[in-house]
Amino acid sequence: MMEEAKGNPITELLDHYYRVMKENGEFLRSNAPEAYMEIIALASKDVIQYTSERRYSGEDYVKYSMVFFLFNILMPLSYAIHTDLLIGNLPACFMELRLMLESLVKCYLGDVKYPEQSFFEEKLKLLEKETKEKDGKKIPKREYDFIEEFDNMVNLDRGAVKLWGKLSKDWVHTRGVIDRVVSQIIEKSVPPPWALIIPFNYTKADLDDIRELGKRVSQFRKILKDTVERCRQNSL
């Protein structure tokens, strides 16, 4: 039976994933502890605090977009970022972080702007139908418009706009990913491993990207904290 298990390609692949994750965890603790602790704090401290500090009823879950965000977006994506970091999938970490930011923005705006709605999905649908004036015409609002409105409501001094812009430009759009690969080849003579194969073992050439992820997660955690506090003030 042991020989069969060792020859099983699925078992071998899982063993490889486990080995890489364990080695990367040790690498992160030794070489980028501050960045690593930001990701761990988001996936443990923040998620646990914001989902357990009050008891939510079934009615709260149905009515409030922010409750949906906490349990169905913040919780799973925070864990996903940690997992993707351990297997070396850095682009996925940044994409997941941007999705969390966009979802936080829209869920907060939905609750604030449409409090009379009893179902959170309806709030988000109404938000998606909003328009703005441009050149004398009404056009659908873009993600940027919602994030800018959110910044003004929560008094973030364009913090969400700046974070969203960095995540979008540098890690989500094709041009940004291409620029990062080319820049690393020019500066360090090797492409980033995530552009070749996943999972992979980190090297010190990856530390700049890892530390940037830690910085962006730290910025998101501040925005999240301010937003949750504002929700408490507004009894959301």
Side-chain angles (χ1 to χ4, degrees), residues 144-169:
Y144 179 89
D145 299 312
F146 291 118
I147 295 172
E148 189 172 47
E149 183 179 5
F150 168 83
D151 264 345
N152 293 332
M153 278 192 182
V154 187
N155 296 322
L156 291 177
D157 191 26
R158 297 183 62 80
V161 166
K162 292 174 183 176
L163 175 57
W164 182 81
K166 290 297 295 182
L167 293 172
S168 301
K169 178 183 177 183

Side-chain angles (χ1 to χ4, degrees), residues 223-234:
I223 293 170
L224 175 64
K225 181 176 182 290
D226 291 345
T227 306
V228 172
E229 289 179 354
R230 182 58 65 92
C231 286
R232 293 193 193 110
Q233 295 171 9
N234 295 335

Side-chain angles (χ1 to χ4, degrees), residues 84-146:
D84 280 317
L85 175 66
L86 289 176
I87 66 173
N89 194 357
L90 285 172
C93 296
F94 287 96
M95 293 175 191
E96 288 155 353
L97 187 60
R98 191 182 86 152
L99 177 56
M100 282 198 293
L101 177 62
E102 291 176 351
S103 300
L104 172 63
V105 166
K106 287 190 173 179
C107 287
Y108 179 82
L109 290 178
D111 282 338
V112 171
K113 299 177 76 171
Y114 301 103
E116 73 284 354
Q117 295 294 323
S118 59
F119 184 27
F120 74 85
E121 186 182 20
E122 290 301 321
K123 297 178 183 183
L124 299 178
K125 285 181 178 180
L126 289 170
L127 205 66
E128 293 289 349
K129 292 178 181 178
E130 290 186 4
T131 60
K132 66 175 183 178
E133 292 283 342
K134 184 176 182 180
D135 299 327
K137 298 179 181 179
K138 287 187 176 181
I139 62 173
K141 286 185 176 179
R142 303 171 301 161
E143 295 293 335
Y144 179 89
D145 299 312
F146 291 118

Side-chain angles (χ1 to χ4, degrees), residues 156-184:
L156 291 177
D157 191 26
R158 297 183 62 80
V161 166
K162 292 174 183 176
L163 175 57
W164 182 81
K166 290 297 295 182
L167 293 172
S168 301
K169 178 183 177 183
D170 295 345
W171 286 98
V172 175
H173 296 322
T174 304
R175 181 73 260 169
V177 174
I178 291 173
D179 287 345
R180 298 194 80 87
V181 174
V182 172
S183 294
Q184 182 157 326

